[in-house]
Amino acid sequence: MPFLYFLLFILSSILQAEDLSSLLKNYKTDSDLSKFTKHDSAGIVEVYTRQDLEKMQVHNLQDILQTIPGIHLLRATNNLTLLAPSSTSKMPLTYTRLYINDHEMSSSSFGSALLIWGNMPVEYIDHIEVYKATSSLEFGNENAAFIIRLYTKNAKRDSGSKVRLMADNKGSYDTNFYTASEIDNDISYFAYANVADTKRKKYYNIYNGQRYTYDSDTNNYNLYGSLEYKKSHLEVGANQKEDNDFLGRGIHRTPDGGELDAYHYYIHFTQEFENELKLQLSYDRLSYTRNYEDPNGIHIANAPLINSYTLRFNDDIFNICVEKHLDYKHNKVMLGAFYKYKEFAAKGDFHDTTYSYAHKNNFSNGLNLYSIYGEDDYDISNTLRVLASLKGDFFRYNKDIKTQNEFVARAGIIKKLEDLQLKAFYTRGYVPLGFYQIYNPENLPYRANPQIDTPKTDIYTLSMKYKKQNYETSFEVAQMETSNNLVYDYTTTNGWKNVSQTARQTLYQLNYTYFFNLQNKLLINLTYGENNTDIKQSSPFGCLIRSYNAYKKFDFYNEFNYKNGYSYSSYSVDASLDWTAAVKYHHTKDLSFGLRGENILDQGYEQVYSGVSQKFPVRDQKVWLNMEYLF
């Protein structure tokens, strides 16, 4: 098997020689929609085009999150997807926003629904954009410093039907089907369905002579549909997730069952008018039920040791957004406003094996969020642009929680000097609170935290890009300072609390891209992260090398992801090298077969967890088989 992987790598290095200048002269990117959706002024951006996704043979969002420079893909003790900037610990969910087209996958309870959509399928996605060190003002929704935007396929480009089947060496399967059609020039539809059963390597823990299993298998069910009529666009989407609990949360890490059962569905309507006015209406429903079982005890707040712990969160979100774009000779103005109502309900059920201790509690609340924002993009000359934006968010809770008025301000400059482009931005913002932070689920009974405040952020970004005909290189620096930061303290009544110390995170990123021709390119990213403490909570240095290649009927992809080792507290993590490779054979224009190997060397990034002596890889060593048929 290692020889097969090595052979794939050798084959991908054999490129068909073609005249570079003639290819670049005829380089048409009509199939690349990312050039129409990318916001160059929104922060440090990583773009995954349609060609990239197809060569990579990605099957879910985690395959993309794995390759974001300066960001570590993690899995929580309860098997959920988390992200961590270089050298720092995991980002709170409220730092991150996930969009499918213009719809934010939001959650009243957690701020972001990434915990449900983190391993969503991407077969129906056309391209992906990731924005680091940004604000969400450009996208007209709640504030965030890290934004993932996914843009779906549509009937105008994907008329017809497609089946994609995948299976791996551990017994996983992933099935995808979509169909799309233009009924006439004014009406089109797109419909997609996915079922995935992902098997992962099992690990074991011995306690008091008894063996306990660490199981992290996952089942996913996903639906998406869109209907377009002239300038009206209706979208519906749903994702159901069933997870095993991995390590659980028992004091000895001895889980005996337990699972996550969650779903999220939404409907989103967009109406565009002739005068550059856009109206959006949406509704979300999210349900999240988490159960932990541990015969050797789970510690919750001031309760005695319990053996069963169940939490249920239910969210309802209504949103209306209006945006207006004004184009003048030298500047472009965007004005917008939205109203969002976020309803939250939670229930807890705690008991021991004999029910000698049993407790139930519940709570609910609602948030009325009013927002108004504007941005001016002014061209001083053909080579100099300045941007300024301002946003006001006004939080009005139904009960218990004080009124909050928050503001986001951003200013930037973009200068072009022939082949060199310089960009500098400053953003003053804040981190929104999720209800799970306001109502600590470990309080018995639930009650609002009267002391908690929103953390404030100052984000500075600087980038320099030098671009020639067949290559480009760039250097980017981003620094985020967070004051009034939130930390979780198990010893306090309210759990989450603000601290006076300012947290500072800095990312340095050096990028190089070489375009051999239309089908072949090489990308190299070097990243280094640091914080204002001497503590490294994740790998600070990374080197990511990716090659996208094609030769006759074959597509090739190689990815080398190196992260250096680090020590944290009493734990030590070794350096890692995750090699992923993929090859696809196009038997006909409608039928193709593929092979993708992940963590081929079995030396991928590992995590350490409190209370567990062994380390666990974030990604398993796997081989996926892939078949795609268009009709």
Side-chain angles (χ1 to χ4, degrees):
M1 186 64 72
F3 174 76
L4 175 61
Y5 295 136
F6 180 73
L7 180 62
L8 294 180
F9 175 64
I10 296 299
L11 285 172
S12 68
S13 302
I14 304 175
L15 307 179
Q16 186 178 23
E18 299 186 64
D19 184 72
L20 178 62
S21 60
S22 63
L23 276 171
L24 291 175
K25 182 178 179 180
N26 296 308
Y27 197 111
K28 293 191 66 176
T29 56
D30 290 342
S31 62
D32 182 9
L33 290 181
S34 64
K35 68 177 183 178
F36 300 107
T37 60
K38 186 175 68 173
H39 293 248
D40 284 316
S41 62
I44 298 177
V45 59
E46 312 291 340
V47 178
Y48 300 83
T49 69
R50 182 170 183 149
Q51 279 193 355
D52 294 343
L53 298 179
E54 291 177 350
K55 285 185 171 68
M56 294 170 73
Q57 295 185 57
V58 295
H59 66 100
N60 66 33
L61 184 58
Q62 288 182 345
D63 295 336
I64 296 299
L65 301 178
Q66 159 77 9
T67 65
I68 301 173
I71 298 294
H72 303 305
L73 173 66
L74 306 177
R75 60 168 164 167
T77 57
N78 59 7
N79 203 30
L80 293 178
T81 300
L82 298 175
L83 300 171
S86 295
S87 85
T88 64
S89 62
K90 61 183 180 294
M91 288 189 290
L93 287 168
T94 50
Y95 275 63
T96 305
R97 300 291 169 184
L98 173 67
Y99 290 81
I100 297 180
N101 296 323
D102 284 333
H103 187 81
E104 185 204 345
M105 316 311 292
S106 185
S107 166
S108 306
S109 300
F110 306 104
S112 170
L114 182 67
L115 77 173
I116 294 179
W117 294 81
N119 61 343
M120 63 171 282
V122 293
E123 176 58 32
Y124 69 110
I125 301 302
D126 181 89
H127 65 281
I128 299 172
E129 298 163 5
V130 179
Y131 297 89
K132 297 175 289 187
T134 184
S135 74
S136 61
L137 189 146
E138 293 88 347
F139 311 119
N141 223 301
E142 294 184 69
N143 196 48
F146 186 82
I147 293 175
I148 306 165
R149 291 186 66 92
L150 296 87
Y151 294 88
T152 61
K153 297 175 180 178
N154 58 61
K156 294 180 180 179
R157 294 163 40 80
D158 294 278
S159 185
S161 301
K162 180 179 180 180
V163 173
R164 184 186 184 193
L165 305 176
M166 299 185 71
D168 72 10
N169 60 314
K170 296 186 181 298
S172 307
Y173 65 84
D174 192 336
T175 62
N176 300 267
F177 171 78
Y178 71 72
T179 184
S181 178
E182 290 187 275
I183 299 175
D184 55 35
N185 292 332
D186 293 331
I187 303 176
S188 64
Y189 69 87
F190 181 94
Y192 168 81
N194 164 269
V195 177
D197 183 354
T198 305
K199 306 294 185 185
R200 298 209 56 175
K201 182 178 179 179
K202 291 177 173 57
Y203 298 88
Y204 303 95
N205 180 29
I206 305 296
Y207 178 75
N208 283 345
Q210 180 73 31
R211 190 175 80 162
Y212 298 90
T213 302
Y214 295 154
D215 191 342
S216 52
D217 293 348
T218 301
N219 293 316
N220 277 85
Y221 311 91
N222 189 279
L223 294 172
Y224 173 81
S226 67
L227 178 65
E228 292 190 52
Y229 174 68
K230 294 184 178 179
K231 292 192 175 185
S232 302
H233 188 197
L234 179 66
E235 297 176 86
V236 293
N239 192 51
Q240 182 176 346
K241 180 184 181 73
E242 299 170 354
D243 261 4
N244 290 325
D245 270 346
F246 191 33
L247 304 181
R249 60 170 302 162
I251 59 175
H252 299 292
R253 300 296 188 190
T254 52
D256 184 19
E259 63 181 2
L260 168 69
D261 188 358
Y263 68 81
H264 182 185
Y265 63 79
Y266 69 92
I267 181 169
H268 189 108
F269 174 75
T270 302
Q271 178 66 56
E272 297 185 24
F273 299 93
E274 297 294 338
N275 56 353
E276 294 295 318
L277 181 68
K278 183 165 71 172
L279 171 67
Q280 298 182 75
L281 304 169
S282 65
Y283 168 71
D284 293 69
R285 171 68 175 178
L286 182 147
S287 176
Y288 179 99
T289 301
R290 167 68 72 182
N291 169 247
Y292 298 101
E293 301 286 340
D294 194 305
N296 298 298
I298 301 171
H299 183 256
I300 302 295
N302 57 351
L305 287 181
I306 59 175
N307 305 110
S308 180
Y309 173 31
T310 302
L311 279 174
R312 298 178 180 87
F313 294 95
N314 290 299
D315 300 344
D316 289 283
I317 303 173
F318 304 86
N319 183 66
I320 179 171
C321 178
V322 179
E323 282 187 355
K324 172 71 174 178
H325 291 263
L326 302 168
D327 291 340
Y328 299 100
K329 183 178 180 180
H330 295 292
N331 63 319
K332 297 180 180 179
V333 177
M334 177 189 69
L335 301 173
F338 73 81
Y339 165 74
K340 181 178 288 188
Y341 179 70
K342 305 176 76 170
E343 192 171 84
F344 156 85
K347 294 181 180 181
D349 188 349
F350 318 86
H351 62 82
D352 59 16
T353 304
T354 62
Y355 281 84
S356 60
Y357 176 86
H359 183 85
K360 294 184 179 182
N361 56 23
N362 61 81
F363 209 88
S364 63
N365 205 339
L367 166 64
N368 294 277
L369 173 57
Y370 306 87
S371 181
I372 185 169
Y373 52 92
E375 181 178 77
D376 189 3
D377 185 346
Y378 186 78
D379 293 326
I380 295 178
S381 68
N382 291 334
T383 61
L384 182 63
R385 290 168 56 197
V386 293
L387 298 92
S389 55
L390 182 65
K391 181 170 182 271
D393 294 328
F394 310 100
F395 296 80
R396 302 294 184 266
Y397 293 91
N398 288 355
K399 58 184 179 181
D400 297 337
I401 306 168
K402 62 185 178 182
T403 293
Q404 299 173 22
N405 299 322
E406 304 292 347
F407 296 91
V408 179
R410 194 161 188 259
I413 184 170
I414 301 176
K415 175 65 177 178
K416 291 184 179 180
L417 299 169
E418 295 184 349
D419 298 324
L420 181 66
Q421 183 187 72
L422 305 174
K423 295 193 297 184
F425 283 88
Y426 166 72
T427 305
R428 172 67 175 177
Y430 69 99
V431 182
L433 299 175
F435 274 114
Y436 83 102
Q437 295 168 315
I438 298 171
Y439 295 97
N440 178 15
E442 296 185 14
N443 272 343
L444 303 178
Y446 283 3
R447 56 181 175 272
N449 184 348
Q451 302 170 339
I452 195 169
D453 289 314
T454 55
K456 303 299 187 290
T457 59
D458 293 280
I459 301 175
Y460 308 85
T461 58
L462 174 67
S463 70
M464 298 174 285
K465 178 187 287 187
Y466 182 75
K467 186 174 183 179
K468 298 296 286 185
Q469 187 180 40
N470 60 338
Y471 73 91
E472 63 182 47
T473 184
S474 63
F475 178 67
E476 299 164 315
V477 181
Q479 183 177 93
M480 183 169 75
E481 297 179 354
T482 307
S483 58
N484 204 33
N485 203 12
L486 283 176
V487 298
Y488 194 80
D489 187 347
Y490 288 95
T491 66
T492 65
T493 301
N494 294 314
W496 291 96
K497 67 176 185 179
N498 298 102
V499 293
S500 58
Q501 181 183 9
T502 296
R504 183 182 303 111
Q505 305 168 15
T506 307
L507 175 67
Y508 305 91
Q509 182 170 326
L510 179 63
N511 312 296
Y512 177 79
T513 303
Y514 189 86
F515 301 95
F516 295 95
N517 52 44
L518 176 62
Q519 293 291 332
N520 298 278
K521 64 180 179 180
L522 174 69
L523 293 84
I524 302 174
N525 307 102
L526 300 175
T527 56
Y528 180 76
E530 61 182 12
N531 58 65
N532 60 332
T533 70
D534 295 328
I535 301 173
K536 304 295 184 186
Q537 295 177 292
S538 63
S539 175
F541 174 76
C543 177
L544 176 63
I545 302 174
R546 290 167 288 169
S547 65
Y548 300 85
N549 307 120
Y551 178 73
K552 294 185 177 179
K553 288 189 173 184
F554 290 91
D555 289 337
F556 302 96
Y557 173 72
N558 277 281
E559 168 194 314
F560 295 91
N561 200 343
Y562 171 81
K563 302 177 189 293
N564 74 327
Y566 69 99
S567 296
Y568 171 60
S569 184
S570 60
Y571 301 99
S572 179
V573 178
D574 297 330
S576 63
L577 177 61
D578 191 330
W579 176 27
T580 293
V583 59
K584 181 186 289 187
Y585 171 68
H586 298 274
H587 181 65
T588 67
K589 65 182 181 65
D590 297 324
L591 178 64
S592 64
F593 301 93
L595 181 68
R596 173 183 163 99
E598 299 174 350
N599 193 13
I600 294 170
L601 304 175
D602 200 19
Q603 297 177 6
Y605 192 62
E606 292 183 323
Q607 280 183 257
V608 293
Y609 300 91
S610 176
V612 183
S613 59
Q614 55 186 314
K615 304 171 188 176
F616 302 95
V618 176
R619 299 209 306 168
D620 290 345
Q621 185 183 45
K622 278 194 173 188
V623 179
W624 286 91
L625 297 175
N626 176 58
M627 187 278 288
E628 301 175 39
Y629 179 61
L630 294 162
F631 58 95

